[in-house]
PDB file of all heavy atoms in Angstrom:
ATOM      1  N   ALA A 354       3.458   3.580 -17.191  1.00  0.00           N
ATOM      2  CA  ALA A 354       3.807   2.496 -18.079  1.00  0.00           C
ATOM      3  C   ALA A 354       2.573   2.049 -18.841  1.00  0.00           C
ATOM      4  O   ALA A 354       1.460   1.994 -18.327  1.00  0.00           O
ATOM      5  CB  ALA A 354       4.346   1.330 -17.313  1.00  0.00           C
ATOM      6  N   ALA A 355       2.758   1.785 -20.155  1.00  0.00           N
ATOM      7  CA  ALA A 355       1.633   1.424 -21.011  1.00  0.00           C
ATOM      8  C   ALA A 355       0.935   0.180 -20.494  1.00  0.00           C
ATOM      9  O   ALA A 355      -0.335   0.041 -20.539  1.00  0.00           O
ATOM     10  CB  ALA A 355       2.148   1.165 -22.439  1.00  0.00           C
ATOM     11  N   LYS A 356       1.643  -0.758 -19.902  1.00  0.00           N
ATOM     12  CA  LYS A 356       1.030  -2.012 -19.446  1.00  0.00           C
ATOM     13  C   LYS A 356       0.049  -1.688 -18.291  1.00  0.00           C
ATOM     14  O   LYS A 356      -0.867  -2.505 -18.054  1.00  0.00           O
ATOM     15  CB  LYS A 356       2.064  -2.997 -19.058  1.00  0.00           C
ATOM     16  CG  LYS A 356       2.904  -2.651 -17.849  1.00  0.00           C
ATOM     17  CD  LYS A 356       3.933  -3.714 -17.534  1.00  0.00           C
ATOM     18  CE  LYS A 356       4.761  -3.334 -16.303  1.00  0.00           C
ATOM     19  NZ  LYS A 356       5.790  -4.383 -15.974  1.00  0.00           N
ATOM     20  N   SER A 357       0.306  -0.585 -17.613  1.00  0.00           N
ATOM     21  CA  SER A 357      -0.502  -0.237 -16.407  1.00  0.00           C
ATOM     22  C   SER A 357      -1.746   0.610 -16.853  1.00  0.00           C
ATOM     23  O   SER A 357      -2.633   0.850 -16.075  1.00  0.00           O
ATOM     24  CB  SER A 357       0.281   0.553 -15.378  1.00  0.00           C
ATOM     25  OG  SER A 357       1.360  -0.254 -14.956  1.00  0.00           O
ATOM     26  N   SER A 358      -1.694   1.105 -18.092  1.00  0.00           N
ATOM     27  CA  SER A 358      -2.779   2.060 -18.477  1.00  0.00           C
ATOM     28  C   SER A 358      -3.300   1.685 -19.924  1.00  0.00           C
ATOM     29  O   SER A 358      -4.368   1.018 -20.022  1.00  0.00           O
ATOM     30  CB  SER A 358      -2.232   3.497 -18.515  1.00  0.00           C
ATOM     31  OG  SER A 358      -0.989   3.611 -19.213  1.00  0.00           O
ATOM     32  N   TYR A 359      -2.594   2.057 -20.959  1.00  0.00           N
ATOM     33  CA  TYR A 359      -3.095   1.914 -22.306  1.00  0.00           C
ATOM     34  C   TYR A 359      -3.206   0.495 -22.746  1.00  0.00           C
ATOM     35  O   TYR A 359      -3.893   0.207 -23.725  1.00  0.00           O
ATOM     36  CB  TYR A 359      -2.300   2.803 -23.244  1.00  0.00           C
ATOM     37  CG  TYR A 359      -2.335   4.230 -22.945  1.00  0.00           C
ATOM     38  CD1 TYR A 359      -1.202   4.902 -22.423  1.00  0.00           C
ATOM     39  CD2 TYR A 359      -3.487   4.956 -23.133  1.00  0.00           C
ATOM     40  CE1 TYR A 359      -1.223   6.235 -22.100  1.00  0.00           C
ATOM     41  CE2 TYR A 359      -3.582   6.359 -22.812  1.00  0.00           C
ATOM     42  CZ  TYR A 359      -2.442   6.976 -22.335  1.00  0.00           C
ATOM     43  OH  TYR A 359      -2.492   8.263 -21.995  1.00  0.00           O
ATOM     44  N   LEU A 360      -2.545  -0.406 -22.067  1.00  0.00           N
ATOM     45  CA  LEU A 360      -2.656  -1.868 -22.386  1.00  0.00           C
ATOM     46  C   LEU A 360      -3.525  -2.573 -21.307  1.00  0.00           C
ATOM     47  O   LEU A 360      -3.611  -3.810 -21.381  1.00  0.00           O
ATOM     48  CB  LEU A 360      -1.271  -2.473 -22.490  1.00  0.00           C
ATOM     49  CG  LEU A 360      -0.401  -2.051 -23.641  1.00  0.00           C
ATOM     50  CD1 LEU A 360       1.001  -2.642 -23.563  1.00  0.00           C
ATOM     51  CD2 LEU A 360      -1.068  -2.332 -24.981  1.00  0.00           C
ATOM     52  N   ASN A 361      -4.076  -1.836 -20.388  1.00  0.00           N
ATOM     53  CA  ASN A 361      -4.876  -2.431 -19.322  1.00  0.00           C
ATOM     54  C   ASN A 361      -6.313  -2.587 -19.861  1.00  0.00           C
ATOM     55  O   ASN A 361      -7.144  -1.637 -19.744  1.00  0.00           O
ATOM     56  CB  ASN A 361      -4.832  -1.514 -18.110  1.00  0.00           C
ATOM     57  CG  ASN A 361      -5.519  -2.161 -16.872  1.00  0.00           C
ATOM     58  OD1 ASN A 361      -6.409  -2.975 -17.015  1.00  0.00           O
ATOM     59  ND2 ASN A 361      -5.100  -1.766 -15.699  1.00  0.00           N
ATOM     60  N   GLN A 362      -6.609  -3.756 -20.360  1.00  0.00           N
ATOM     61  CA  GLN A 362      -7.838  -4.012 -21.057  1.00  0.00           C
ATOM     62  C   GLN A 362      -9.073  -3.793 -20.152  1.00  0.00           C
ATOM     63  O   GLN A 362     -10.063  -3.167 -20.524  1.00  0.00           O
ATOM     64  CB  GLN A 362      -7.877  -5.389 -21.651  1.00  0.00           C
ATOM     65  CG  GLN A 362      -6.816  -5.656 -22.703  1.00  0.00           C
ATOM     66  CD  GLN A 362      -6.913  -7.038 -23.308  1.00  0.00           C
ATOM     67  OE1 GLN A 362      -7.991  -7.648 -23.387  1.00  0.00           O
ATOM     68  NE2 GLN A 362      -5.822  -7.581 -23.736  1.00  0.00           N
ATOM     69  N   HIS A 363      -8.984  -4.349 -18.962  1.00  0.00           N
ATOM     70  CA  HIS A 363     -10.096  -4.222 -18.082  1.00  0.00           C
ATOM     71  C   HIS A 363     -10.364  -2.847 -17.593  1.00  0.00           C
ATOM     72  O   HIS A 363     -11.544  -2.450 -17.425  1.00  0.00           O
ATOM     73  CB  HIS A 363      -9.897  -5.188 -16.876  1.00  0.00           C
ATOM     74  CG  HIS A 363      -9.939  -6.641 -17.313  1.00  0.00           C
ATOM     75  ND1 HIS A 363     -11.112  -7.340 -17.571  1.00  0.00           N
ATOM     76  CD2 HIS A 363      -8.942  -7.524 -17.492  1.00  0.00           C
ATOM     77  CE1 HIS A 363     -10.830  -8.568 -17.911  1.00  0.00           C
ATOM     78  NE2 HIS A 363      -9.486  -8.718 -17.857  1.00  0.00           N
ATOM     79  N   ALA A 364      -9.326  -2.041 -17.385  1.00  0.00           N
ATOM     80  CA  ALA A 364      -9.511  -0.654 -16.978  1.00  0.00           C
ATOM     81  C   ALA A 364     -10.179   0.127 -18.121  1.00  0.00           C
ATOM     82  O   ALA A 364     -11.062   0.923 -17.832  1.00  0.00           O
ATOM     83  CB  ALA A 364      -8.174  -0.013 -16.620  1.00  0.00           C
ATOM     84  N   ILE A 365      -9.789  -0.115 -19.355  1.00  0.00           N
ATOM     85  CA  ILE A 365     -10.425   0.517 -20.474  1.00  0.00           C
ATOM     86  C   ILE A 365     -11.894   0.136 -20.619  1.00  0.00           C
ATOM     87  O   ILE A 365     -12.776   1.033 -20.807  1.00  0.00           O
ATOM     88  CB  ILE A 365      -9.665   0.222 -21.811  1.00  0.00           C
ATOM     89  CG1 ILE A 365      -8.200   0.841 -21.732  1.00  0.00           C
ATOM     90  CG2 ILE A 365     -10.354   0.707 -23.001  1.00  0.00           C
ATOM     91  CD1 ILE A 365      -7.298   0.449 -22.818  1.00  0.00           C
ATOM     92  N   ILE A 366     -12.193  -1.136 -20.555  1.00  0.00           N
ATOM     93  CA  ILE A 366     -13.529  -1.576 -20.670  1.00  0.00           C
ATOM     94  C   ILE A 366     -14.411  -1.030 -19.541  1.00  0.00           C
ATOM     95  O   ILE A 366     -15.542  -0.573 -19.747  1.00  0.00           O
ATOM     96  CB  ILE A 366     -13.638  -3.102 -20.651  1.00  0.00           C
ATOM     97  CG1 ILE A 366     -13.021  -3.690 -21.897  1.00  0.00           C
ATOM     98  CG2 ILE A 366     -15.096  -3.588 -20.474  1.00  0.00           C
ATOM     99  CD1 ILE A 366     -13.813  -3.437 -23.197  1.00  0.00           C
ATOM    100  N   THR A 367     -13.866  -0.955 -18.317  1.00  0.00           N
ATOM    101  CA  THR A 367     -14.551  -0.408 -17.138  1.00  0.00           C
ATOM    102  C   THR A 367     -14.906   1.104 -17.389  1.00  0.00           C
ATOM    103  O   THR A 367     -16.032   1.519 -17.127  1.00  0.00           O
ATOM    104  CB  THR A 367     -13.710  -0.553 -15.879  1.00  0.00           C
ATOM    105  OG1 THR A 367     -13.518  -1.981 -15.634  1.00  0.00           O
ATOM    106  CG2 THR A 367     -14.437   0.090 -14.693  1.00  0.00           C
ATOM    107  N   ALA A 368     -13.913   1.792 -17.904  1.00  0.00           N
ATOM    108  CA  ALA A 368     -14.129   3.235 -18.264  1.00  0.00           C
ATOM    109  C   ALA A 368     -15.226   3.390 -19.268  1.00  0.00           C
ATOM    110  O   ALA A 368     -16.106   4.293 -19.155  1.00  0.00           O
ATOM    111  CB  ALA A 368     -12.848   3.871 -18.717  1.00  0.00           C
ATOM    112  N   ALA A 369     -15.275   2.540 -20.300  1.00  0.00           N
ATOM    113  CA  ALA A 369     -16.319   2.607 -21.363  1.00  0.00           C
ATOM    114  C   ALA A 369     -17.675   2.367 -20.761  1.00  0.00           C
ATOM    115  O   ALA A 369     -18.620   3.115 -21.076  1.00  0.00           O
ATOM    116  CB  ALA A 369     -15.935   1.560 -22.460  1.00  0.00           C
ATOM    117  N   ILE A 370     -17.791   1.313 -19.906  1.00  0.00           N
ATOM    118  CA  ILE A 370     -19.091   1.000 -19.337  1.00  0.00           C
ATOM    119  C   ILE A 370     -19.592   2.117 -18.396  1.00  0.00           C
ATOM    120  O   ILE A 370     -20.720   2.568 -18.447  1.00  0.00           O
ATOM    121  CB  ILE A 370     -18.994  -0.307 -18.639  1.00  0.00           C
ATOM    122  CG1 ILE A 370     -18.754  -1.459 -19.543  1.00  0.00           C
ATOM    123  CG2 ILE A 370     -20.248  -0.604 -17.753  1.00  0.00           C
ATOM    124  CD1 ILE A 370     -18.451  -2.790 -18.955  1.00  0.00           C
ATOM    125  N   GLU A 371     -18.624   2.621 -17.569  1.00  0.00           N
ATOM    126  CA  GLU A 371     -19.039   3.674 -16.623  1.00  0.00           C
ATOM    127  C   GLU A 371     -19.460   4.939 -17.278  1.00  0.00           C
ATOM    128  O   GLU A 371     -20.337   5.620 -16.835  1.00  0.00           O
ATOM    129  CB  GLU A 371     -17.858   3.963 -15.665  1.00  0.00           C
ATOM    130  CG  GLU A 371     -17.596   2.846 -14.594  1.00  0.00           C
ATOM    131  CD  GLU A 371     -16.448   3.188 -13.704  1.00  0.00           C
ATOM    132  OE1 GLU A 371     -15.772   4.225 -13.973  1.00  0.00           O
ATOM    133  OE2 GLU A 371     -16.230   2.470 -12.728  1.00  0.00           O
ATOM    134  N   LYS A 372     -18.851   5.257 -18.450  1.00  0.00           N
ATOM    135  CA  LYS A 372     -19.150   6.498 -19.148  1.00  0.00           C
ATOM    136  C   LYS A 372     -20.247   6.294 -20.232  1.00  0.00           C
ATOM    137  O   LYS A 372     -20.605   7.259 -20.891  1.00  0.00           O
ATOM    138  CB  LYS A 372     -17.867   7.084 -19.803  1.00  0.00           C
ATOM    139  CG  LYS A 372     -16.834   7.499 -18.774  1.00  0.00           C
ATOM    140  CD  LYS A 372     -17.409   8.635 -17.944  1.00  0.00           C
ATOM    141  CE  LYS A 372     -16.332   9.221 -16.964  1.00  0.00           C
ATOM    142  NZ  LYS A 372     -16.883  10.342 -16.176  1.00  0.00           N
ATOM    143  N   GLY A 373     -20.693   5.080 -20.436  1.00  0.00           N
ATOM    144  CA  GLY A 373     -21.755   4.818 -21.346  1.00  0.00           C
ATOM    145  C   GLY A 373     -21.319   4.845 -22.783  1.00  0.00           C
ATOM    146  O   GLY A 373     -22.127   5.079 -23.738  1.00  0.00           O
ATOM    147  N   ALA A 374     -20.041   4.572 -23.069  1.00  0.00           N
ATOM    148  CA  ALA A 374     -19.583   4.493 -24.431  1.00  0.00           C
ATOM    149  C   ALA A 374     -20.043   3.163 -25.078  1.00  0.00           C
ATOM    150  O   ALA A 374     -19.856   2.099 -24.437  1.00  0.00           O
ATOM    151  CB  ALA A 374     -18.018   4.612 -24.503  1.00  0.00           C
ATOM    152  N   VAL A 375     -20.540   3.242 -26.269  1.00  0.00           N
ATOM    153  CA  VAL A 375     -21.103   2.072 -26.903  1.00  0.00           C
ATOM    154  C   VAL A 375     -20.086   1.460 -27.921  1.00  0.00           C
ATOM    155  O   VAL A 375     -20.317   0.372 -28.456  1.00  0.00           O
ATOM    156  CB  VAL A 375     -22.375   2.350 -27.623  1.00  0.00           C
ATOM    157  CG1 VAL A 375     -23.485   2.700 -26.596  1.00  0.00           C
ATOM    158  CG2 VAL A 375     -22.253   3.411 -28.653  1.00  0.00           C
ATOM    159  N   ALA A 376     -18.975   2.159 -28.170  1.00  0.00           N
ATOM    160  CA  ALA A 376     -18.001   1.654 -29.093  1.00  0.00           C
ATOM    161  C   ALA A 376     -16.588   2.089 -28.635  1.00  0.00           C
ATOM    162  O   ALA A 376     -16.478   3.128 -27.922  1.00  0.00           O
ATOM    163  CB  ALA A 376     -18.247   2.182 -30.562  1.00  0.00           C
ATOM    164  N   ILE A 377     -15.583   1.386 -29.079  1.00  0.00           N
ATOM    165  CA  ILE A 377     -14.194   1.747 -28.724  1.00  0.00           C
ATOM    166  C   ILE A 377     -13.389   1.793 -30.004  1.00  0.00           C
ATOM    167  O   ILE A 377     -13.382   0.867 -30.803  1.00  0.00           O
ATOM    168  CB  ILE A 377     -13.553   0.740 -27.751  1.00  0.00           C
ATOM    169  CG1 ILE A 377     -14.233   0.834 -26.336  1.00  0.00           C
ATOM    170  CG2 ILE A 377     -12.042   0.953 -27.628  1.00  0.00           C
ATOM    171  CD1 ILE A 377     -13.712  -0.139 -25.336  1.00  0.00           C
ATOM    172  N   HIS A 378     -12.686   2.887 -30.200  1.00  0.00           N
ATOM    173  CA  HIS A 378     -11.762   3.040 -31.324  1.00  0.00           C
ATOM    174  C   HIS A 378     -10.336   2.862 -30.782  1.00  0.00           C
ATOM    175  O   HIS A 378      -9.903   3.656 -29.935  1.00  0.00           O
ATOM    176  CB  HIS A 378     -11.873   4.385 -32.011  1.00  0.00           C
ATOM    177  CG  HIS A 378     -11.243   4.387 -33.434  1.00  0.00           C
ATOM    178  ND1 HIS A 378      -9.950   3.979 -33.605  1.00  0.00           N
ATOM    179  CD2 HIS A 378     -11.731   4.783 -34.620  1.00  0.00           C
ATOM    180  CE1 HIS A 378      -9.669   4.109 -34.885  1.00  0.00           C
ATOM    181  NE2 HIS A 378     -10.760   4.595 -35.524  1.00  0.00           N
ATOM    182  N   PRO A 379      -9.556   1.836 -31.255  1.00  0.00           N
ATOM    183  CA  PRO A 379      -8.248   1.555 -30.643  1.00  0.00           C
ATOM    184  C   PRO A 379      -7.115   2.317 -31.348  1.00  0.00           C
ATOM    185  O   PRO A 379      -5.970   2.254 -30.863  1.00  0.00           O
ATOM    186  CB  PRO A 379      -8.115   0.095 -30.916  1.00  0.00           C
ATOM    187  CG  PRO A 379      -8.794  -0.139 -32.213  1.00  0.00           C
ATOM    188  CD  PRO A 379      -9.967   0.838 -32.222  1.00  0.00           C
ATOM    189  N   GLY A 380      -7.403   3.080 -32.372  1.00  0.00           N
ATOM    190  CA  GLY A 380      -6.292   3.843 -33.085  1.00  0.00           C
ATOM    191  C   GLY A 380      -5.366   2.863 -33.746  1.00  0.00           C
ATOM    192  O   GLY A 380      -5.750   1.868 -34.381  1.00  0.00           O
ATOM    193  N   TYR A 381      -4.022   3.102 -33.611  1.00  0.00           N
ATOM    194  CA  TYR A 381      -2.984   2.167 -34.043  1.00  0.00           C
ATOM    195  C   TYR A 381      -2.094   1.885 -32.914  1.00  0.00           C
ATOM    196  O   TYR A 381      -2.043   2.582 -31.914  1.00  0.00           O
ATOM    197  CB  TYR A 381      -2.241   2.756 -35.276  1.00  0.00           C
ATOM    198  CG  TYR A 381      -1.623   4.087 -35.026  1.00  0.00           C
ATOM    199  CD1 TYR A 381      -0.491   4.259 -34.216  1.00  0.00           C
ATOM    200  CD2 TYR A 381      -2.090   5.240 -35.724  1.00  0.00           C
ATOM    201  CE1 TYR A 381       0.077   5.499 -33.964  1.00  0.00           C
ATOM    202  CE2 TYR A 381      -1.516   6.500 -35.520  1.00  0.00           C
ATOM    203  CZ  TYR A 381      -0.424   6.624 -34.626  1.00  0.00           C
ATOM    204  OH  TYR A 381       0.148   7.861 -34.440  1.00  0.00           O
ATOM    205  N   GLY A 382      -1.271   0.763 -33.050  1.00  0.00           N
ATOM    206  CA  GLY A 382      -0.455   0.327 -31.973  1.00  0.00           C
ATOM    207  C   GLY A 382      -1.309  -0.109 -30.759  1.00  0.00           C
ATOM    208  O   GLY A 382      -2.492  -0.384 -30.844  1.00  0.00           O
ATOM    209  N   LEU A 383      -0.655  -0.212 -29.565  1.00  0.00           N
ATOM    210  CA  LEU A 383      -1.335  -0.624 -28.335  1.00  0.00           C
ATOM    211  C   LEU A 383      -2.238  -1.795 -28.538  1.00  0.00           C
ATOM    212  O   LEU A 383      -1.770  -2.863 -28.828  1.00  0.00           O
ATOM    213  CB  LEU A 383      -2.026   0.620 -27.766  1.00  0.00           C
ATOM    214  CG  LEU A 383      -1.048   1.792 -27.378  1.00  0.00           C
ATOM    215  CD1 LEU A 383      -1.839   3.048 -26.981  1.00  0.00           C
ATOM    216  CD2 LEU A 383      -0.083   1.370 -26.287  1.00  0.00           C
ATOM    217  N   LEU A 384      -3.559  -1.625 -28.332  1.00  0.00           N
ATOM    218  CA  LEU A 384      -4.500  -2.713 -28.420  1.00  0.00           C
ATOM    219  C   LEU A 384      -5.215  -2.858 -29.746  1.00  0.00           C
ATOM    220  O   LEU A 384      -6.144  -3.663 -29.916  1.00  0.00           O
ATOM    221  CB  LEU A 384      -5.579  -2.598 -27.326  1.00  0.00           C
ATOM    222  CG  LEU A 384      -5.018  -2.682 -25.899  1.00  0.00           C
ATOM    223  CD1 LEU A 384      -6.161  -2.306 -24.912  1.00  0.00           C
ATOM    224  CD2 LEU A 384      -4.475  -4.086 -25.564  1.00  0.00           C
ATOM    225  N   SER A 385      -4.734  -2.143 -30.801  1.00  0.00           N
ATOM    226  CA  SER A 385      -5.451  -2.095 -32.060  1.00  0.00           C
ATOM    227  C   SER A 385      -5.511  -3.424 -32.789  1.00  0.00           C
ATOM    228  O   SER A 385      -6.393  -3.667 -33.538  1.00  0.00           O
ATOM    229  CB  SER A 385      -4.893  -1.030 -32.977  1.00  0.00           C
ATOM    230  OG  SER A 385      -3.488  -1.300 -33.279  1.00  0.00           O
ATOM    231  N   GLU A 386      -4.507  -4.289 -32.599  1.00  0.00           N
ATOM    232  CA  GLU A 386      -4.487  -5.605 -33.210  1.00  0.00           C
ATOM    233  C   GLU A 386      -4.501  -6.683 -32.203  1.00  0.00           C
ATOM    234  O   GLU A 386      -3.897  -7.762 -32.438  1.00  0.00           O
ATOM    235  CB  GLU A 386      -3.239  -5.724 -34.131  1.00  0.00           C
ATOM    236  CG  GLU A 386      -3.338  -4.751 -35.339  1.00  0.00           C
ATOM    237  CD  GLU A 386      -2.129  -4.871 -36.265  1.00  0.00           C
ATOM    238  OE1 GLU A 386      -1.054  -4.362 -35.889  1.00  0.00           O
ATOM    239  OE2 GLU A 386      -2.266  -5.451 -37.366  1.00  0.00           O
ATOM    240  N   ASN A 387      -5.120  -6.438 -31.073  1.00  0.00           N
ATOM    241  CA  ASN A 387      -5.175  -7.423 -29.987  1.00  0.00           C
ATOM    242  C   ASN A 387      -6.523  -8.149 -30.076  1.00  0.00           C
ATOM    243  O   ASN A 387      -7.569  -7.523 -29.690  1.00  0.00           O
ATOM    244  CB  ASN A 387      -5.003  -6.723 -28.630  1.00  0.00           C
ATOM    245  CG  ASN A 387      -4.823  -7.658 -27.522  1.00  0.00           C
ATOM    246  OD1 ASN A 387      -5.710  -8.560 -27.285  1.00  0.00           O
ATOM    247  ND2 ASN A 387      -3.738  -7.552 -26.772  1.00  0.00           N
ATOM    248  N   ALA A 388      -6.533  -9.385 -30.517  1.00  0.00           N
ATOM    249  CA  ALA A 388      -7.782 -10.081 -30.702  1.00  0.00           C
ATOM    250  C   ALA A 388      -8.525 -10.326 -29.390  1.00  0.00           C
ATOM    251  O   ALA A 388      -9.750 -10.263 -29.309  1.00  0.00           O
ATOM    252  CB  ALA A 388      -7.544 -11.443 -31.374  1.00  0.00           C
ATOM    253  N   SER A 389      -7.760 -10.551 -28.282  1.00  0.00           N
ATOM    254  CA  SER A 389      -8.414 -10.788 -26.991  1.00  0.00           C
ATOM    255  C   SER A 389      -9.156  -9.515 -26.557  1.00  0.00           C
ATOM    256  O   SER A 389     -10.223  -9.655 -25.908  1.00  0.00           O
ATOM    257  CB  SER A 389      -7.396 -11.243 -25.958  1.00  0.00           C
ATOM    258  OG  SER A 389      -6.479 -10.150 -25.628  1.00  0.00           O
TER     259      SER A 389
END
């Protein structure tokens, strides 16, 4: 389910930090227009 994965903000941020990503591209849909 998207809410468990692609909409899971903290899981995405954690993955970025663990892998050393300095930027995130959200594409379209999902979190692309999510201000929080």
Side-chain angles (χ1 to χ4, degrees):
K356 66 180 181 181
S357 303
S358 51
Y359 298 109
L360 294 176
N361 188 333
Q362 299 183 26
H363 292 283
I365 292 170
I366 292 292
T367 299
I370 293 172
E371 288 182 351
K372 293 297 183 180
V375 295
I377 291 178
H378 197 308
Y381 54 70
L383 297 173
L384 294 173
S385 63
E386 293 181 287
N387 189 305
S389 67

